[in-house]
Amino acid sequence: RSGAEWWAQVRGGDGARAEGIEFHWDVDEHQCDRARGVHVHPHLSTVTYLSAHGAPTVVLDARSRASSPRATARLHGPLSAGAVSWPCVGKHFVFDGSLLHGAVPCLGEAVPPGAGKRVTFLVNVWLNHTPHAVATLPKRLARALGGAAQLPPASAFAEGGGPPLAEVRVPAEGPPGGEKEHLWLEVSFGRDAKENALRVRLPRRPASSASAAGPTSLRLLFGPGAAAVSADVAGLKPTVSSSVRGRPAGGGG
């Protein structure tokens, strides 16, 4: 009953900022619909970037056992940690499959025309559970994909094993003179209705990360007031969130 669920996504490339993916939890979609919103999560969620363009993946240390308003209301409050991963060709990003995540449109930067598409290969690893209404890969095609491979142990929230992510402390307020290193992201999200408000301060991509020498992933440690989930959807301010597309049927990041 264990296995891997996989799909591919292609976003952007038209000069717009709409290549983002709404914040969501990866779940057994059909089981969630049949069981009135009960969440069954994959053991691991993974993103493999096949291009170096487009929105970074943002993972937040927020878990919910169901998508009902009562269940998601339990996670309302401050968030203490997260991670951000910018696209890099061949990069494999792994995180706990029960965590809230999405893709943020360029973190405030316009996408120049002809910049290229954001191409990702997504794999969810399931243990002791088979997602409903997911077709089994034909054995002949499975053999053509090659032999078994060992996934790297690196994770956004791993306590040991694999290369550690560079840690960045994110305060609620920046120095006088404007936001040069951070920006505020304000988005609403929800499975059936956008009943949750996320407000989080995120770092802009370091200039050095565009080269092999700089970090392309950061572990975020939020200070008081720097990140929170609430029910105050009406109080959100327009930001890059207006360009975030809805959550795709298969999830994504």
Side-chain angles (χ1 to χ4, degrees):
R1 293 175 58 83
S2 300
E5 173 191 18
W6 58 270
W7 65 102
Q9 285 180 345
V10 179
R11 296 287 179 113
D14 57 0
R17 287 190 288 182
E19 83 277 15
I21 298 170
E22 182 178 314
F23 278 82
H24 63 281
W25 289 278
D26 285 347
V27 299
D28 182 336
E29 298 287 342
H30 291 269
Q31 175 69 17
C32 189
D33 291 337
R34 293 169 55 186
R36 298 183 179 181
V38 173
H39 287 180
V40 179
H41 301 284
H43 183 67
L44 294 174
S45 295
T46 79
V47 182
T48 301
Y49 302 94
L50 302 181
S51 75
H53 307 290
T57 303
V58 174
V59 182
L60 298 170
D61 194 10
R63 297 171 173 84
S64 180
R65 295 183 178 180
S67 55
S68 67
R70 178 180 296 180
T72 54
R74 295 188 183 121
L75 64 86
H76 289 173
L79 302 176
S80 61
V84 59
S85 170
W86 285 274
C88 180
V89 176
K91 177 183 176 182
H92 186 65
F93 185 57
V94 184
F95 55 94
D96 185 324
S98 66
L99 295 175
L100 181 69
H101 62 283
V104 182
C106 292
L107 291 186
E109 301 174 0
V111 181
K117 296 182 181 295
R118 182 185 192 271
V119 184
T120 53
F121 181 68
L122 296 309
V123 179
N124 285 347
V125 179
W126 294 86
L127 299 180
N128 303 314
H129 179 81
T130 301
H132 292 73
V134 175
T136 301
L137 190 70
K139 292 183 179 181
R140 185 175 64 177
L141 180 56
R143 286 193 295 268
L145 294 179
Q150 183 176 358
L151 292 176
S155 169
F157 294 91
E159 294 298 331
L165 298 184
E167 289 190 350
V168 172
R169 295 188 178 276
V170 182
E173 296 182 0
E179 288 282 350
K180 295 182 179 180
E181 297 181 354
H182 299 82
L183 61 81
W184 281 102
L185 173 72
E186 300 189 24
V187 294
S188 59
F189 69 93
R191 182 178 177 83
D192 299 317
K194 295 187 178 183
E195 300 171 329
N196 306 290
L198 170 65
R199 189 170 185 266
V200 57
R201 193 165 184 249
L202 295 170
R204 297 180 187 272
R205 181 170 188 169
S208 61
S209 70
S211 67
T216 60
S217 299
L218 297 173
R219 176 175 166 83
L220 309 177
L221 302 177
F222 297 116
V229 176
S230 73
D232 186 21
V233 175
L236 293 175
K237 299 177 182 179
T239 62
V240 293
S241 63
S242 59
S243 298
V244 180
R245 294 179 181 176
R247 178 182 56 83

